[in-house]
Amino acid sequence: MTRPTSRDVATAAGVSQATVSLVLGDKWRGRVSERTAAHVRETATTLGYRPNLAARNLRLGSTRTALLVVPALTNEFFARVYTGAARVAAAHGFGVVLYPSPDGTGPARDPFASARAAIDGVIASSMAAAALDAIGGDDLPLVMLDSDPTAGRAAAHVNLAMTDGVRQAAAHLLDHGHRRFLHLAADVDTWTFHIRARALAALLGPTTELRTVRAALAVDAARTAMETALADPADRPTAILCDDDVLAAGACKAARRLGLRVPEDLSVTGIDDLGLATAVEPELTTVRLPAEQVGEHGMNALLAVLDGRPWTAPDIPVELVVRDSTGPAPATAP
């Protein structure tokens, strides 16, 4: 069976080939009516038409491919970011190539001999920003996720309302009478974790105590750090605010090993709302980060940059999800 061509679509739809090219190339707005565009798309689908992407990209000098630079995909959050980015990309005839850093946060080898020859733009998480040096292609359009909007060479930024998320978690614990806090901070030198620490320090007033302990982003590392931090009963916090759910799971394990009950003796909060949050017992109170929206916004921002349009969008809202790992401060707390 002969593969249908754009000429076949034009003939069946009763329009010109130029109109078919505009519609299927997503450049019809302002040139073709919405009704005609819908008719062309429907005709193409009925005929089973698929554009020759290789020929089109060669003609346009574009690969219609974006590179998504993230930490290793063992983290569920970044798998969801990819899902969101790929969904928007597919709707615009783009593909998304994943570039995960092999050790989670650091640099990796350049996946392409020449980034510019293979991709049209880059979307990168601040947690994998070091990998950008390996990629090269400094002139490529760049969208940064969860990163300092005042720094770097990015053409656009997509951020979460992280300060508000920390505020929601802290307010929840303060409302439950907690005044002795421990911040279990991710031992990763990136902007997103720096602003969490700054926000928490600014939110807690002179009537509260705040101690910070750092741990690698792993359950065992968090457990070990917390076993040490909680060992002295005279110096124990009543609430632990963790930089993510993995650290929170480690904190809960440490509490159990020390004979402490969560939340009766110690309240624990996380950030992310990964599947892990409802797999642990008790289920975790955490700040839900809409990861797929981060990917969607990142791809939309890159498309805007490629089209020469400005990208402006407020920080993506986040939400505290209250579950069973938090409760009132123990009455016997110092």
Side-chain angles (χ1 to χ4, degrees):
M1 184 176 179
T2 304
R3 178 176 173 172
T5 66
S6 61
R7 184 187 298 274
D8 297 328
V9 176
T11 300
V15 298
S16 68
Q17 271 189 275
T19 297
V20 171
S21 295
L22 287 172
V23 172
L24 300 184
D26 199 30
K27 297 184 181 295
W28 58 272
R29 293 169 182 82
R31 304 180 188 181
V32 177
S33 71
E34 228 175 279
R35 181 177 179 180
T36 298
H39 177 55
V40 169
R41 285 193 296 267
E42 184 179 346
T43 302
T45 300
T46 301
L47 293 178
Y49 171 75
R50 294 292 182 272
N52 186 332
L53 293 179
R56 183 185 67 179
N57 293 342
L58 182 62
R59 182 173 67 253
L60 298 176
S62 164
T63 65
R64 297 186 76 80
T65 302
L67 186 70
L68 177 61
V69 183
V70 297
L73 290 180
T74 49
N75 187 314
E76 176 189 337
F77 178 85
F78 292 104
R80 293 180 182 177
V81 169
Y82 168 77
T83 298
R87 181 186 303 120
V88 171
H92 291 83
F94 267 71
V96 177
V97 176
L98 265 173
Y99 180 45
S101 175
D103 69 351
T105 57
R109 292 180 303 164
D110 183 354
F112 307 110
S114 169
R116 175 159 290 286
I119 56 178
D120 290 336
V122 179
I123 306 168
S125 162
S126 65
M127 287 184 64
L132 295 175
D133 295 333
I135 293 168
D138 288 343
D139 294 332
L140 284 168
L142 171 64
V143 173
M144 289 299 299
L145 308 178
D146 211 13
S147 66
D148 186 351
T150 66
R153 62 179 180 83
H157 290 81
V158 172
N159 283 327
L160 292 152
M162 196 61 70
T163 296
D164 184 57
V166 173
R167 180 198 61 76
Q168 291 180 51
H172 169 69
L173 293 169
L174 287 168
D175 288 347
H176 278 78
H178 294 277
R179 295 297 180 269
R180 302 189 69 183
F181 296 92
L182 187 147
H183 177 205
L184 180 52
D187 193 15
V188 180
D189 184 18
T190 64
W191 180 81
T192 185
F193 292 123
H194 295 329
I195 63 166
R196 298 175 201 198
R198 288 200 299 267
L200 185 56
L203 287 163
L204 297 181
T207 62
T208 63
E209 296 179 21
L210 175 63
R211 183 159 52 113
T212 299
V213 173
R214 299 188 180 280
L217 282 169
V219 172
D220 286 346
R223 176 187 55 76
T224 300
M226 283 297 90
E227 285 179 354
T228 300
L230 299 174
D232 183 0
D235 193 34
R236 267 181 200 150
T238 63
I240 302 176
L241 295 105
C242 304
D243 269 351
D244 82 347
D245 293 350
V246 172
L247 296 178
C252 290
K253 288 188 73 171
R256 285 195 296 274
R257 291 195 179 195
L258 293 170
L260 299 173
R261 299 166 300 165
V262 177
E264 291 84 358
D265 301 316
L266 186 67
S267 286
V268 179
T269 66
I271 294 177
D272 274 345
D273 198 25
L274 305 176
L276 177 65
T278 53
V280 297
E281 186 62 40
E283 293 187 357
L284 191 62
T285 294
T286 186
V287 178
R288 177 177 293 157
L289 306 184
E292 288 192 25
Q293 283 188 43
V294 173
E296 291 171 356
H297 283 222
M299 191 65 215
N300 278 322
L302 182 59
L303 290 170
V305 172
L306 291 172
D307 284 345
R309 294 182 283 111
W311 167 264
T312 55
D315 290 350
I316 300 171
V318 301
E319 174 190 9
L320 180 70
V321 180
V322 178
R323 298 192 180 99
D324 294 336
S325 69
T326 53
T332 57

